[in-house]
Amino acid sequence: MSAAEQQVSIWMRPEQVERSGPGRRPGYSRAQITQAAVEIADREGLDAATMRRIAQELGTGAMSLYRYVPKRDDLIDLMLDAVVGEIELPERASGDWRADLSLVAYQTRAVGLRHPWQAALTRRPTLGPNSLRVYDFSLSALDGFGLHIDEMTSLCGMVGDYVASAVRDEIGWLEHARHTGMDRKHWMAEYVGPYVKQVVESGKYPMFNRTIREGRLSHMSPDTRFQYGLDHVLNGIAAALPNTRKR
């Protein structure tokens, strides 16, 4: 493949389907390669999902797979779009924008927790078919309010950014518990608790003291904490919508 061809999006390159015949190794598909990569990343982390490792999983040579997926960025795009495909949405928005965006948020969170490697990726949009399906559904939830498309994009982006941040936080605590044996509750009580008590007693940080004495957020379950933050994001969106259809 030429350098110019490598700059073309994977979504613009038709997949070449190979027929297997007598004496030939079986052909593969992008979907098979992508699925193998996702399974490896789920088990061992994103860095483990190399072409060599995928080839071992499929029982073939690494070089043969580059005919299907020419470069690493293409593989990541395919992997991201594949897991986004797990987001289950109706064909059309229901007309209840809050319910529709909540559905996207919860489905996206579930996918992120099933595939922790996804949360570590900060990159351009993949623009694959599954990603575009979710994008269109989200924007259509806010259609009909008289908002400019940029406003709709920005408001939906607030939901996406919140979900991404919340998922990273949840995964971080799960990883911490796996490595240390301490979940969030035990970490707060047994590890950092004595230090926090010392800080509070110093009186130097009054707002931090209020957080410790009055705050409920850190004591909520992950599900309750996620909904609490999502409600605030959706309330912010409601404030930006015309009064006639805020619901």
Side-chain angles (χ1 to χ4, degrees):
M1 176 174 290
S2 69
E5 288 175 317
Q6 289 194 21
Q7 299 306 312
V8 176
S9 168
I10 188 70
W11 311 115
M12 292 182 66
R13 291 201 295 271
E15 182 169 9
Q16 296 181 3
V17 179
E18 293 188 2
R19 299 177 183 270
S20 52
R24 296 184 61 188
R25 290 185 177 181
Y28 296 96
S29 68
R30 285 178 185 170
Q32 287 176 293
I33 295 167
T34 302
Q35 182 61 32
V38 168
E39 290 174 0
I40 292 168
D42 288 347
R43 294 194 307 263
E44 306 170 33
L46 183 63
D47 290 344
T50 63
M51 280 302 190
R52 183 181 297 276
R53 182 74 177 78
I54 296 166
Q56 289 175 353
E57 199 85 351
L58 295 175
T60 188
M63 292 307 296
S64 67
L65 298 185
Y66 285 103
R67 296 199 301 271
Y68 305 91
V69 183
K71 59 183 189 295
R72 178 73 174 175
D73 276 353
D74 292 335
L75 179 65
I76 299 299
D77 279 352
L78 291 166
M79 291 172 67
L80 285 171
D81 198 64
V83 298
V84 170
E86 297 173 16
I87 295 177
E88 298 180 2
L89 300 171
E91 289 188 14
R92 295 180 180 82
S94 68
D96 182 340
W97 70 267
R98 197 175 186 110
D100 289 336
L101 292 184
S102 292
L103 177 61
V104 173
Y106 270 95
Q107 288 276 326
T108 303
R109 176 190 179 222
V111 167
L113 294 177
R114 281 197 298 271
H115 307 286
W117 52 268
Q118 184 190 31
L121 290 171
T122 303
R123 53 189 279 116
R124 52 180 168 66
T126 66
L127 300 182
N130 292 315
S131 302
L132 289 173
R133 173 179 60 86
V134 175
Y135 180 84
D136 257 37
F137 180 87
S138 300
L139 287 182
S140 67
L142 297 179
D143 196 19
F145 287 95
L147 298 174
H148 189 277
I149 191 65
D150 288 342
E151 294 177 284
M152 295 160 62
T153 301
S154 180
L155 293 173
C156 288
M158 289 167 54
V159 177
D161 289 345
Y162 167 71
V163 174
S165 176
V167 168
R168 281 194 297 270
D169 184 66
E170 284 192 63
I171 290 173
W173 281 107
L174 291 171
E175 288 293 321
H176 181 269
R178 190 157 35 245
H179 290 305
T180 66
M182 289 189 295
D183 61 14
R184 188 179 188 129
K185 180 179 179 181
H186 288 101
W187 180 83
M188 291 172 60
E190 299 172 14
Y191 181 75
V192 80
Y195 172 66
V196 169
K197 183 175 181 293
Q198 184 180 27
V199 171
V200 169
E201 289 175 348
S202 74
K204 292 181 179 179
Y205 310 99
M207 298 308 294
F208 178 77
N209 287 7
R210 283 190 61 188
T211 301
I212 299 302
R213 289 172 175 155
E214 303 171 26
R216 297 178 294 110
L217 196 58
S218 61
H219 301 286
M220 294 177 182
S221 69
D223 288 346
T224 303
R225 188 162 50 248
F226 182 80
Q227 184 63 58
Y228 182 84
L230 181 60
D231 283 341
H232 281 77
V233 173
L234 296 177
N235 290 343
I237 292 175
L241 300 180
N243 291 326
T244 54
R245 282 190 55 200
K246 283 186 179 180
R247 285 204 181 104

mmCIF file of all heavy atoms in Angstrom, residues 222-243:
data_model
loop_
_atom_site.group_PDB
_atom_site.id
_atom_site.type_symbol
_atom_site.label_atom_id
_atom_site.label_comp_id
_atom_site.label_asym_id
_atom_site.label_seq_id
_atom_site.Cartn_x
_atom_site.Cartn_y
_atom_site.Cartn_z
ATOM 1 N N PRO A 222 -21.533 3.471 42.997
ATOM 2 C CA PRO A 222 -21.186 3.957 41.657
ATOM 3 C C PRO A 222 -22.411 4.312 40.818
ATOM 4 O O PRO A 222 -22.403 5.330 40.110
ATOM 5 C CB PRO A 222 -20.421 2.771 41.054
ATOM 6 C CG PRO A 222 -19.816 2.090 42.224
ATOM 7 C CD PRO A 222 -20.824 2.215 43.321
ATOM 8 N N ASP A 223 -23.465 3.501 40.881
ATOM 9 C CA ASP A 223 -24.664 3.784 40.095
ATOM 10 C C ASP A 223 -25.325 5.083 40.535
ATOM 11 O O ASP A 223 -25.735 5.909 39.708
ATOM 12 C CB ASP A 223 -25.676 2.638 40.218
ATOM 13 C CG ASP A 223 -25.242 1.396 39.469
ATOM 14 O OD1 ASP A 223 -24.305 1.481 38.650
ATOM 15 O OD2 ASP A 223 -25.839 0.330 39.705
ATOM 16 N N THR A 224 -25.446 5.268 41.853
ATOM 17 C CA THR A 224 -26.083 6.481 42.380
ATOM 18 C C THR A 224 -25.245 7.708 42.064
ATOM 19 O O THR A 224 -25.776 8.765 41.692
ATOM 20 C CB THR A 224 -26.291 6.363 43.891
ATOM 21 O OG1 THR A 224 -27.072 5.200 44.178
ATOM 22 C CG2 THR A 224 -27.003 7.589 44.451
ATOM 23 N N ARG A 225 -23.932 7.566 42.187
ATOM 24 C CA ARG A 225 -23.033 8.695 41.904
ATOM 25 C C ARG A 225 -23.105 9.073 40.426
ATOM 26 O O ARG A 225 -23.110 10.258 40.075
ATOM 27 C CB ARG A 225 -21.607 8.327 42.305
ATOM 28 C CG ARG A 225 -20.616 9.475 42.244
ATOM 29 C CD ARG A 225 -19.353 9.189 43.035
ATOM 30 N NE ARG A 225 -18.768 7.906 42.710
ATOM 31 C CZ ARG A 225 -18.713 6.869 43.546
ATOM 32 N NH1 ARG A 225 -19.222 6.969 44.764
ATOM 33 N NH2 ARG A 225 -18.139 5.740 43.174
ATOM 34 N N PHE A 226 -23.185 8.064 39.553
ATOM 35 C CA PHE A 226 -23.286 8.345 38.122
ATOM 36 C C PHE A 226 -24.576 9.097 37.813
ATOM 37 O O PHE A 226 -24.564 10.091 37.078
ATOM 38 C CB PHE A 226 -23.235 7.037 37.329
ATOM 39 C CG PHE A 226 -23.295 7.234 35.841
ATOM 40 C CD1 PHE A 226 -22.166 7.599 35.125
ATOM 41 C CD2 PHE A 226 -24.483 7.067 35.142
ATOM 42 C CE1 PHE A 226 -22.212 7.794 33.747
ATOM 43 C CE2 PHE A 226 -24.548 7.261 33.772
ATOM 44 C CZ PHE A 226 -23.409 7.621 33.066
ATOM 45 N N GLN A 227 -25.695 8.644 38.375
ATOM 46 C CA GLN A 227 -26.967 9.300 38.118
ATOM 47 C C GLN A 227 -26.979 10.710 38.681
ATOM 48 O O GLN A 227 -27.537 11.632 38.057
ATOM 49 C CB GLN A 227 -28.116 8.498 38.731
ATOM 50 C CG GLN A 227 -29.495 9.063 38.427
ATOM 51 C CD GLN A 227 -29.826 9.042 36.946
ATOM 52 O OE1 GLN A 227 -29.812 7.986 36.320
ATOM 53 N NE2 GLN A 227 -30.107 10.200 36.362
ATOM 54 N N TYR A 228 -26.370 10.910 39.830
ATOM 55 C CA TYR A 228 -26.309 12.232 40.454
ATOM 56 C C TYR A 228 -25.609 13.230 39.527
ATOM 57 O O TYR A 228 -26.108 14.337 39.280
ATOM 58 C CB TYR A 228 -25.562 12.132 41.783
ATOM 59 C CG TYR A 228 -25.473 13.425 42.555
ATOM 60 C CD1 TYR A 228 -26.499 13.834 43.386
ATOM 61 C CD2 TYR A 228 -24.330 14.229 42.453
ATOM 62 C CE1 TYR A 228 -26.401 15.023 44.118
ATOM 63 C CE2 TYR A 228 -24.231 15.414 43.163
ATOM 64 C CZ TYR A 228 -25.272 15.810 43.996
ATOM 65 O OH TYR A 228 -25.173 16.990 44.699
ATOM 66 N N GLY A 229 -24.463 12.822 38.996
ATOM 67 C CA GLY A 229 -23.742 13.717 38.093
ATOM 68 C C GLY A 229 -24.474 13.914 36.784
ATOM 69 O O GLY A 229 -24.518 15.033 36.243
ATOM 70 N N LEU A 230 -25.067 12.828 36.256
ATOM 71 C CA LEU A 230 -25.795 12.937 34.998
ATOM 72 C C LEU A 230 -26.982 13.873 35.128
ATOM 73 O O LEU A 230 -27.270 14.659 34.205
ATOM 74 C CB LEU A 230 -26.260 11.551 34.551
ATOM 75 C CG LEU A 230 -27.034 11.476 33.235
ATOM 76 C CD1 LEU A 230 -26.196 11.993 32.069
ATOM 77 C CD2 LEU A 230 -27.508 10.048 32.969
ATOM 78 N N ASP A 231 -27.680 13.819 36.258
ATOM 79 C CA ASP A 231 -28.814 14.724 36.478
ATOM 80 C C ASP A 231 -28.380 16.178 36.376
ATOM 81 O O ASP A 231 -29.093 17.016 35.803
ATOM 82 C CB ASP A 231 -29.446 14.462 37.844
ATOM 83 C CG ASP A 231 -30.327 13.223 37.855
ATOM 84 O OD1 ASP A 231 -30.736 12.772 36.772
ATOM 85 O OD2 ASP A 231 -30.598 12.704 38.954
ATOM 86 N N HIS A 232 -27.216 16.494 36.918
ATOM 87 C CA HIS A 232 -26.741 17.879 36.860
ATOM 88 C C HIS A 232 -26.399 18.288 35.434
ATOM 89 O O HIS A 232 -26.665 19.427 35.027
ATOM 90 C CB HIS A 232 -25.525 18.061 37.784
ATOM 91 C CG HIS A 232 -25.890 18.198 39.222
ATOM 92 N ND1 HIS A 232 -26.260 17.128 40.000
ATOM 93 C CD2 HIS A 232 -25.966 19.287 40.028
ATOM 94 C CE1 HIS A 232 -26.539 17.548 41.225
ATOM 95 N NE2 HIS A 232 -26.377 18.856 41.266
ATOM 96 N N VAL A 233 -25.827 17.367 34.666
ATOM 97 C CA VAL A 233 -25.522 17.667 33.265
ATOM 98 C C VAL A 233 -26.819 17.896 32.488
ATOM 99 O O VAL A 233 -26.942 18.854 31.713
ATOM 100 C CB VAL A 233 -24.714 16.524 32.626
ATOM 101 C CG1 VAL A 233 -24.539 16.764 31.123
ATOM 102 C CG2 VAL A 233 -23.349 16.407 33.299
ATOM 103 N N LEU A 234 -27.802 17.029 32.685
ATOM 104 C CA LEU A 234 -29.071 17.162 31.972
ATOM 105 C C LEU A 234 -29.824 18.414 32.406
ATOM 106 O O LEU A 234 -30.496 19.057 31.577
ATOM 107 C CB LEU A 234 -29.931 15.918 32.200
ATOM 108 C CG LEU A 234 -29.351 14.602 31.650
ATOM 109 C CD1 LEU A 234 -30.243 13.425 31.999
ATOM 110 C CD2 LEU A 234 -29.136 14.690 30.140
ATOM 111 N N ASN A 235 -29.703 18.781 33.674
ATOM 112 C CA ASN A 235 -30.320 20.033 34.131
ATOM 113 C C ASN A 235 -29.682 21.236 33.437
ATOM 114 O O ASN A 235 -30.365 22.212 33.109
ATOM 115 C CB ASN A 235 -30.181 20.178 35.646
ATOM 116 C CG ASN A 235 -31.051 19.185 36.407
ATOM 117 O OD1 ASN A 235 -31.980 18.606 35.846
ATOM 118 N ND2 ASN A 235 -30.748 18.977 37.674
ATOM 119 N N GLY A 236 -28.379 21.147 33.212
ATOM 120 C CA GLY A 236 -27.704 22.216 32.487
ATOM 121 C C GLY A 236 -28.186 22.306 31.048
ATOM 122 O O GLY A 236 -28.356 23.399 30.505
ATOM 123 N N ILE A 237 -28.411 21.157 30.418
ATOM 124 C CA ILE A 237 -28.953 21.150 29.055
ATOM 125 C C ILE A 237 -30.362 21.730 29.041
ATOM 126 O O ILE A 237 -30.723 22.529 28.164
ATOM 127 C CB ILE A 237 -28.946 19.720 28.485
ATOM 128 C CG1 ILE A 237 -27.504 19.256 28.272
ATOM 129 C CG2 ILE A 237 -29.730 19.645 27.175
ATOM 130 C CD1 ILE A 237 -27.373 17.819 27.828
ATOM 131 N N ALA A 238 -31.175 21.342 30.029
ATOM 132 C CA ALA A 238 -32.549 21.851 30.101
ATOM 133 C C ALA A 238 -32.568 23.372 30.170
ATOM 134 O O ALA A 238 -33.434 24.023 29.579
ATOM 135 C CB ALA A 238 -33.264 21.258 31.318
ATOM 136 N N ALA A 239 -31.597 23.943 30.870
ATOM 137 C CA ALA A 239 -31.540 25.399 31.004
ATOM 138 C C ALA A 239 -31.236 26.081 29.676
ATOM 139 O O ALA A 239 -31.547 27.271 29.503
ATOM 140 C CB ALA A 239 -30.485 25.778 32.039
ATOM 141 N N ALA A 240 -30.631 25.334 28.747
ATOM 142 C CA ALA A 240 -30.284 25.910 27.442
ATOM 143 C C ALA A 240 -31.385 25.731 26.406
ATOM 144 O O ALA A 240 -31.299 26.288 25.311
ATOM 145 C CB ALA A 240 -28.991 25.275 26.930
ATOM 146 N N LEU A 241 -32.427 24.981 26.742
ATOM 147 C CA LEU A 241 -33.498 24.707 25.789
ATOM 148 C C LEU A 241 -34.621 25.744 25.914
ATOM 149 O O LEU A 241 -34.854 26.276 26.994
ATOM 150 C CB LEU A 241 -34.078 23.309 26.005
ATOM 151 C CG LEU A 241 -33.094 22.146 25.853
ATOM 152 C CD1 LEU A 241 -33.814 20.831 26.102
ATOM 153 C CD2 LEU A 241 -32.435 22.144 24.484
ATOM 154 N N PRO A 242 -35.324 26.002 24.830
ATOM 155 C CA PRO A 242 -36.467 26.908 24.884
ATOM 156 C C PRO A 242 -37.503 26.401 25.883
ATOM 157 O O PRO A 242 -37.710 25.199 26.024
ATOM 158 C CB PRO A 242 -37.033 26.884 23.445
ATOM 159 C CG PRO A 242 -35.867 26.457 22.609
ATOM 160 C CD PRO A 242 -35.071 25.527 23.458
ATOM 161 N N ASN A 243 -38.143 27.320 26.571
ATOM 162 C CA ASN A 243 -39.096 26.947 27.631
ATOM 163 C C ASN A 243 -40.246 26.093 27.124
ATOM 164 O O ASN A 243 -40.848 25.338 27.889
ATOM 165 C CB ASN A 243 -39.659 28.206 28.280
ATOM 166 C CG ASN A 243 -38.632 28.948 29.092
ATOM 167 O OD1 ASN A 243 -37.757 28.313 29.690
ATOM 168 N ND2 ASN A 243 -38.698 30.270 29.126
#
